Amino acid sequence: AAFHASAKYLPAMKTSAFITIIIAVLAHAPSPAHAMFPPAKDKGPVARAVKTDVKYIKCQVCELAADAAYEEYVAVAADKGKKLTELDVLERVEKLCDVSDKAADWIINKDLQEKGTKLKVVDMGKEVYGKCGVECKTIVKACEDVLGPRDTDVAEYLLTTATSAKDVREWLCREETSSCSSAPPPLPKDRPKGEKFVKREKKDVDMERLMASMQGMPGMGGAQMFNREDMMAGMGGMGGDPFSNPFDLFESFFGGGGGMGGMGGMGGGQRQNRNRPTQGDDERFDLEIDFLEAVFGVEKELDTMRLENCDKCSGSGVKAGTKPTTCGTCGGQGQVVATVRTPLGNFQQVTGCQACGGTGQSATPCPSCGGDGRVRRSKKIQLRVPPGVDKGSRLRVRGEGNAGRRGGPSGDLYVFINVRDDPELKRFENVNISSNVTIPYTRAILGCTVKVRTVDGSVDLKIPQGVQPGSTLLMAKRGVPRLGNDSIRGDHYVTVKVTIPSKVSNEERALIEQLDANVK
């Protein structure tokens, strides 16, 4: 009878989703003694500002984030194999500071503890989950400072260069961010006492993540995020055992009213979801630039194609001068009910109305956009490519993607950079440049000054006497500006090649023989 009721009163929800959430919630039910009166929350010490402690732990967090990034890379590489792309790695790197994702489990099992004049990030053990209070958010802030501006660079480094977690720590924390270039300042004596580490059960964390993942499932658009204490506090006035009727529990999640009778309102909620504003999709644009443009940055005009709101119907999709009417097939519910006979009895199956597309309304579509409310148009966008980008770099232009439906916000435009190769200059390790210079053997012996082409133009390079073939000379600060911090530049490495003639004149031979005779 319960499942028969679910088929009738939960039309928008798949049975599997319904069963999943019922099992998950009932599994979290506390003992009867605590069901109605959850224990009081420990307020703990007075919270301090999150940013205050970031400078004390930034190096530690950087190294921990580097280790976590490499672990995520190894996991996704094992899963994807040869199909692994930088975008696959980037998707994991972007979640390393997001405590609602498993990739950030390395954060929620950490505690901040004072050790003398230092603030230590302490690992509380595997499979340990802490409540993300001020100290946890401090670690998140430090993680965002380290990874946020350079997540694309981290993904590229993992995919193309890193061979171990140590490589990532050295590159990210010392070369890329300089987070560990100097010791953190000592803790002030008047620093407020830190929060107590509050353990949480894994099933509570899993429950929150389950609810978050169900946001995109059919019929779950109105689901809210609850922890067990919130659910118990919210159901304290229901009377009796709050878990005696699972459908009453669903009412607390989805906002229906009046017990089982109110569950019928879920169909209306689904119809409202179909008619609500939704964000537009993101768009991709591939941009190819010259080598020097990538080094020093450039302004580019992009001619993009995207969906924009229809001018004729103002994005509603309804023909101008007309109004939507209630759908005659579903009576405005957006769903139709069919009875299915089975050996176990009659079951009612609810599906979206095909006549109105589940909106509950019928309307004359706008002739310009075909009822979508959006039309595809071209638009020119000015884009500033920052200094230091490289092949595979990704730039985001907020709000320049496709327009949302029914007045929803626009998506973003993602610009993927490709850099044309330079015939002489080669780039490596993101910020360094290499090139070759060729000199005759006589100048290799005597030394000389040659002109070398760099990204800054032609520069004199002094070659010392007796330079050996294949030697590399350094031209400091003649490399590529670091992405996100163009005041820091890499170096230019010049490899010396020495030409030896295959034939010499009689006069040259005599001189060489005379020189050879003097060699000890």
Side-chain angles (χ1 to χ4, degrees), residues 119-168:
L119 187 62
K120 291 288 187 179
V121 182
V122 180
D123 193 314
M124 303 302 288
K126 292 184 178 180
E127 300 298 323
V128 174
Y129 298 84
K131 186 174 182 180
C132 197
V134 173
E135 293 192 344
C136 169
K137 292 175 182 177
T138 303
I139 300 175
V140 170
K141 179 66 173 65
C143 176
E144 291 173 345
D145 287 354
V146 171
L147 291 180
R150 51 191 65 83
D151 51 5
T152 301
D153 293 334
V154 173
E156 179 185 3
Y157 184 81
L158 287 167
L159 190 63
T160 62
T161 307
T163 59
S164 66
K166 181 180 178 182
D167 289 345
V168 186

Side-chain angles (χ1 to χ4, degrees), residues 50-59 138 142 145 179 183-186 188:
V50 173
K51 294 182 179 180
T52 305
D53 288 338
V54 168
K55 57 181 175 291
Y56 304 121
I57 62 170
K58 198 167 185 179
C59 175
T138 303
D145 287 354
S179 297

